[in-house]
Amino acid sequence: MTRRIVYAAALVAFLAASALTLASIIVPRWISWDSQTASGSRIHYTYGLHKRCSSLTGACTHFPEDVDCHGGDRYFCSMWRSVGFLMNFAIVMEGMTFIAFLVVIIGGKQMRERGWKVVSCMLLLAGVIQCAGMSLIAYLYDNDDRFFPGWKLDTSWIFCTISWSIMVLSAAFVSASAYLVAPEEGYELIPGED
């Protein structure tokens, strides 16, 4: 049976993972490219889920724009926008997971003994959604012609990878504790009140 301390530890890990998810969406550094010109100045491009930044202009612009999505680039744009949707959906799932954590932790002994199934399933689902988004970015990085040698998966991709890994491990931790941790001490149920 799962104890309050197990949920508290999983909640702390979950909140850290959620912060990484949010950072991966906000920081426009999923894929980047660095180069140095003959004169020694550096050129730096980064692609985020919703912005593209360039050191040449010193600014970030909305990405992908409609002009980026014509002809053969339509496939790229569809995939990139799908990742944006998946990551935003992951944030919604994380909000719902946070509420589930609160209900289970505050809900009493019976809720903690039975709530592990809901919490672990929601953690797993949020992790799988993020993993799908991260995998699509890795696929585009490996297969799209715009990412020639010199491009690299960057900080936001790493944040996403760490985030979904923590969520999946937390789901496993909560599930395992339901079977391996001794039940909380407390009032016994009246027979027939299960």
Side-chain angles (χ1 to χ4, degrees), residues 26-166:
I26 294 170
V27 176
R29 294 189 63 131
W30 279 81
I31 299 178
S32 65
W33 182 72
D34 286 305
S35 184
Q36 197 162 6
T37 63
S39 65
S41 60
R42 286 187 44 172
I43 300 172
H44 184 73
Y45 286 104
T46 61
Y47 281 44
L49 293 181
H50 308 292
K51 293 180 186 176
R52 173 177 45 198
C53 302
S54 168
S55 63
L56 295 176
T57 61
C60 295
T61 58
H62 180 72
F63 178 78
E65 298 263 346
D66 290 336
V67 295
D68 297 318
C69 300
H70 293 295
D73 288 338
R74 293 176 95 174
Y75 173 76
F76 173 82
C77 287
S78 294
M79 296 279 276
W80 200 269
R81 287 178 176 158
S82 294
V83 174
F85 170 78
L86 286 171
M87 293 305 293
N88 288 323
F89 184 55
I91 286 290
V92 171
M93 286 303 302
E94 289 173 11
M96 293 169 49
T97 304
F98 179 69
I99 292 168
F101 262 115
L102 292 180
V103 167
V104 168
I105 290 172
I106 295 170
K109 181 181 175 189
Q110 279 185 299
M111 187 66 76
R112 285 189 296 279
E113 288 179 358
R114 295 183 181 162
W116 68 269
K117 295 174 189 174
V118 172
V119 170
S120 60
C121 285
M122 292 187 79
L123 283 167
L124 187 62
L125 183 59
V128 168
I129 291 167
Q130 286 186 65
C131 183
M134 180 226 44
S135 299
L136 286 174
I137 293 288
Y139 175 81
L140 289 171
Y141 170 75
D142 286 338
N143 295 300
D144 195 271
D145 294 337
R146 75 179 68 220
F147 301 120
F148 49 85
W151 287 90
K152 65 177 183 170
L153 295 169
D154 207 353
T155 310
S156 295
W157 187 84
I158 293 168
F159 286 167
C160 180
T161 303
I162 293 169
S163 177
W164 73 257
S165 299
I166 290 171

Side-chain angles (χ1 to χ4, degrees), residues 18 30 72 84 167:
S18 295
W30 279 81
M167 296 226 187

